[in-house]
PDB file of all heavy atoms in Angstrom:
ATOM      1  N   ILE A 452       9.331   6.616   2.564  1.00 71.00           N
ATOM      2  CA  ILE A 452       8.561   5.558   3.215  1.00 71.00           C
ATOM      3  C   ILE A 452       7.079   5.883   3.128  1.00 71.00           C
ATOM      4  O   ILE A 452       6.631   6.924   3.604  1.00 71.00           O
ATOM      5  CB  ILE A 452       8.979   5.394   4.690  1.00 71.00           C
ATOM      6  CG1 ILE A 452      10.480   5.109   4.789  1.00 71.00           C
ATOM      7  CG2 ILE A 452       8.194   4.289   5.357  1.00 71.00           C
ATOM      8  CD1 ILE A 452      10.988   4.952   6.197  1.00 71.00           C
ATOM      9  N   ASP A 453       6.300   5.006   2.500  1.00 79.00           N
ATOM     10  CA  ASP A 453       4.863   5.238   2.387  1.00 79.00           C
ATOM     11  C   ASP A 453       4.180   4.867   3.703  1.00 79.00           C
ATOM     12  O   ASP A 453       4.793   4.224   4.569  1.00 79.00           O
ATOM     13  CB  ASP A 453       4.299   4.421   1.225  1.00 79.00           C
ATOM     14  CG  ASP A 453       4.198   2.957   1.561  1.00 79.00           C
ATOM     15  OD1 ASP A 453       5.243   2.269   1.594  1.00 79.00           O
ATOM     16  OD2 ASP A 453       3.076   2.499   1.821  1.00 79.00           O
ATOM     17  N   PRO A 454       2.916   5.261   3.903  1.00 85.00           N
ATOM     18  CA  PRO A 454       2.250   5.059   5.205  1.00 85.00           C
ATOM     19  C   PRO A 454       2.218   3.617   5.691  1.00 85.00           C
ATOM     20  O   PRO A 454       2.426   3.364   6.878  1.00 85.00           O
ATOM     21  CB  PRO A 454       0.833   5.593   4.946  1.00 85.00           C
ATOM     22  CG  PRO A 454       1.011   6.617   3.875  1.00 85.00           C
ATOM     23  CD  PRO A 454       2.097   6.080   2.989  1.00 85.00           C
ATOM     24  N   ILE A 455       1.956   2.665   4.803  1.00 87.00           N
ATOM     25  CA  ILE A 455       1.882   1.265   5.244  1.00 87.00           C
ATOM     26  C   ILE A 455       3.252   0.761   5.672  1.00 87.00           C
ATOM     27  O   ILE A 455       3.401   0.097   6.702  1.00 87.00           O
ATOM     28  CB  ILE A 455       1.293   0.379   4.126  1.00 87.00           C
ATOM     29  CG1 ILE A 455      -0.190   0.720   3.930  1.00 87.00           C
ATOM     30  CG2 ILE A 455       1.464  -1.104   4.464  1.00 87.00           C
ATOM     31  CD1 ILE A 455      -0.863  -0.078   2.834  1.00 87.00           C
ATOM     32  N   LEU A 456       4.269   1.105   4.896  1.00 85.00           N
ATOM     33  CA  LEU A 456       5.627   0.703   5.265  1.00 85.00           C
ATOM     34  C   LEU A 456       6.051   1.379   6.564  1.00 85.00           C
ATOM     35  O   LEU A 456       6.740   0.778   7.390  1.00 85.00           O
ATOM     36  CB  LEU A 456       6.603   1.047   4.137  1.00 85.00           C
ATOM     37  CG  LEU A 456       8.063   0.618   4.328  1.00 85.00           C
ATOM     38  CD1 LEU A 456       8.159  -0.860   4.675  1.00 85.00           C
ATOM     39  CD2 LEU A 456       8.872   0.929   3.074  1.00 85.00           C
ATOM     40  N   GLU A 457       5.639   2.613   6.752  1.00 85.00           N
ATOM     41  CA  GLU A 457       5.942   3.333   7.992  1.00 85.00           C
ATOM     42  C   GLU A 457       5.354   2.594   9.193  1.00 85.00           C
ATOM     43  O   GLU A 457       5.993   2.472  10.240  1.00 85.00           O
ATOM     44  CB  GLU A 457       5.374   4.749   7.913  1.00 85.00           C
ATOM     45  CG  GLU A 457       5.598   5.595   9.163  1.00 85.00           C
ATOM     46  CD  GLU A 457       7.073   5.892   9.412  1.00 85.00           C
ATOM     47  OE1 GLU A 457       7.775   6.229   8.457  1.00 85.00           O
ATOM     48  OE2 GLU A 457       7.499   5.769  10.576  1.00 85.00           O
ATOM     49  N   LYS A 458       4.146   2.064   9.025  1.00 89.00           N
ATOM     50  CA  LYS A 458       3.516   1.317  10.113  1.00 89.00           C
ATOM     51  C   LYS A 458       4.249  -0.003  10.381  1.00 89.00           C
ATOM     52  O   LYS A 458       4.401  -0.418  11.533  1.00 89.00           O
ATOM     53  CB  LYS A 458       2.043   1.068   9.777  1.00 89.00           C
ATOM     54  CG  LYS A 458       1.196   2.332   9.856  1.00 89.00           C
ATOM     55  CD  LYS A 458      -0.193   2.127   9.291  1.00 89.00           C
ATOM     56  CE  LYS A 458      -0.974   3.438   9.305  1.00 89.00           C
ATOM     57  NZ  LYS A 458      -2.279   3.327   8.608  1.00 89.00           N
ATOM     58  N   LEU A 459       4.702  -0.662   9.310  1.00 89.00           N
ATOM     59  CA  LEU A 459       5.480  -1.890   9.494  1.00 89.00           C
ATOM     60  C   LEU A 459       6.776  -1.599  10.243  1.00 89.00           C
ATOM     61  O   LEU A 459       7.176  -2.347  11.141  1.00 89.00           O
ATOM     62  CB  LEU A 459       5.795  -2.518   8.133  1.00 89.00           C
ATOM     63  CG  LEU A 459       4.640  -3.206   7.403  1.00 89.00           C
ATOM     64  CD1 LEU A 459       5.059  -3.597   5.995  1.00 89.00           C
ATOM     65  CD2 LEU A 459       4.161  -4.432   8.167  1.00 89.00           C
ATOM     66  N   PHE A 460       7.427  -0.498   9.884  1.00 83.00           N
ATOM     67  CA  PHE A 460       8.632  -0.064  10.592  1.00 83.00           C
ATOM     68  C   PHE A 460       8.354   0.149  12.068  1.00 83.00           C
ATOM     69  O   PHE A 460       9.052  -0.349  12.949  1.00 83.00           O
ATOM     70  CB  PHE A 460       9.134   1.254  10.000  1.00 83.00           C
ATOM     71  CG  PHE A 460      10.217   1.097   8.979  1.00 83.00           C
ATOM     72  CD1 PHE A 460      10.336   1.990   7.940  1.00 83.00           C
ATOM     73  CD2 PHE A 460      11.147   0.078   9.052  1.00 83.00           C
ATOM     74  CE1 PHE A 460      11.331   1.870   6.994  1.00 83.00           C
ATOM     75  CE2 PHE A 460      12.150  -0.062   8.110  1.00 83.00           C
ATOM     76  CZ  PHE A 460      12.238   0.842   7.078  1.00 83.00           C
ATOM     77  N   SER A 461       7.306   0.937  12.305  1.00 86.00           N
ATOM     78  CA  SER A 461       6.973   1.316  13.677  1.00 86.00           C
ATOM     79  C   SER A 461       6.655   0.085  14.520  1.00 86.00           C
ATOM     80  O   SER A 461       7.098  -0.025  15.670  1.00 86.00           O
ATOM     81  CB  SER A 461       5.787   2.285  13.665  1.00 86.00           C
ATOM     82  OG  SER A 461       5.391   2.620  14.968  1.00 86.00           O
ATOM     83  N   GLU A 462       5.868  -0.830  13.948  1.00 88.00           N
ATOM     84  CA  GLU A 462       5.483  -2.024  14.698  1.00 88.00           C
ATOM     85  C   GLU A 462       6.692  -2.924  14.976  1.00 88.00           C
ATOM     86  O   GLU A 462       6.829  -3.460  16.071  1.00 88.00           O
ATOM     87  CB  GLU A 462       4.425  -2.805  13.915  1.00 88.00           C
ATOM     88  CG  GLU A 462       3.071  -2.126  13.900  1.00 88.00           C
ATOM     89  CD  GLU A 462       2.064  -2.874  13.069  1.00 88.00           C
ATOM     90  OE1 GLU A 462       2.465  -3.789  12.325  1.00 88.00           O
ATOM     91  OE2 GLU A 462       0.880  -2.548  13.152  1.00 88.00           O
ATOM     92  N   GLN A 463       7.558  -3.064  13.973  1.00 87.00           N
ATOM     93  CA  GLN A 463       8.747  -3.887  14.182  1.00 87.00           C
ATOM     94  C   GLN A 463       9.633  -3.290  15.268  1.00 87.00           C
ATOM     95  O   GLN A 463      10.159  -3.990  16.128  1.00 87.00           O
ATOM     96  CB  GLN A 463       9.546  -4.032  12.875  1.00 87.00           C
ATOM     97  CG  GLN A 463      10.689  -5.035  12.999  1.00 87.00           C
ATOM     98  CD  GLN A 463      11.704  -4.907  11.881  1.00 87.00           C
ATOM     99  OE1 GLN A 463      12.317  -3.857  11.709  1.00 87.00           O
ATOM    100  NE2 GLN A 463      11.884  -5.978  11.116  1.00 87.00           N
ATOM    101  N   GLN A 464       9.768  -1.964  15.233  1.00 83.00           N
ATOM    102  CA  GLN A 464      10.585  -1.289  16.230  1.00 83.00           C
ATOM    103  C   GLN A 464      10.000  -1.485  17.626  1.00 83.00           C
ATOM    104  O   GLN A 464      10.726  -1.757  18.593  1.00 83.00           O
ATOM    105  CB  GLN A 464      10.676   0.204  15.904  1.00 83.00           C
ATOM    106  CG  GLN A 464      11.544   1.023  16.833  1.00 83.00           C
ATOM    107  CD  GLN A 464      13.013   0.648  16.747  1.00 83.00           C
ATOM    108  OE1 GLN A 464      13.454   0.100  15.746  1.00 83.00           O
ATOM    109  NE2 GLN A 464      13.759   0.935  17.796  1.00 83.00           N
TER     110      GLN A 464
END
Side-chain angles (χ1 to χ4, degrees):
I452 303 179
D453 75 285
I455 291 179
L456 183 52
E457 179 66 44
K458 288 170 184 173
L459 287 172
F460 264 149
S461 177
E462 288 177 348
Q463 188 196 60
Q464 182 66 23

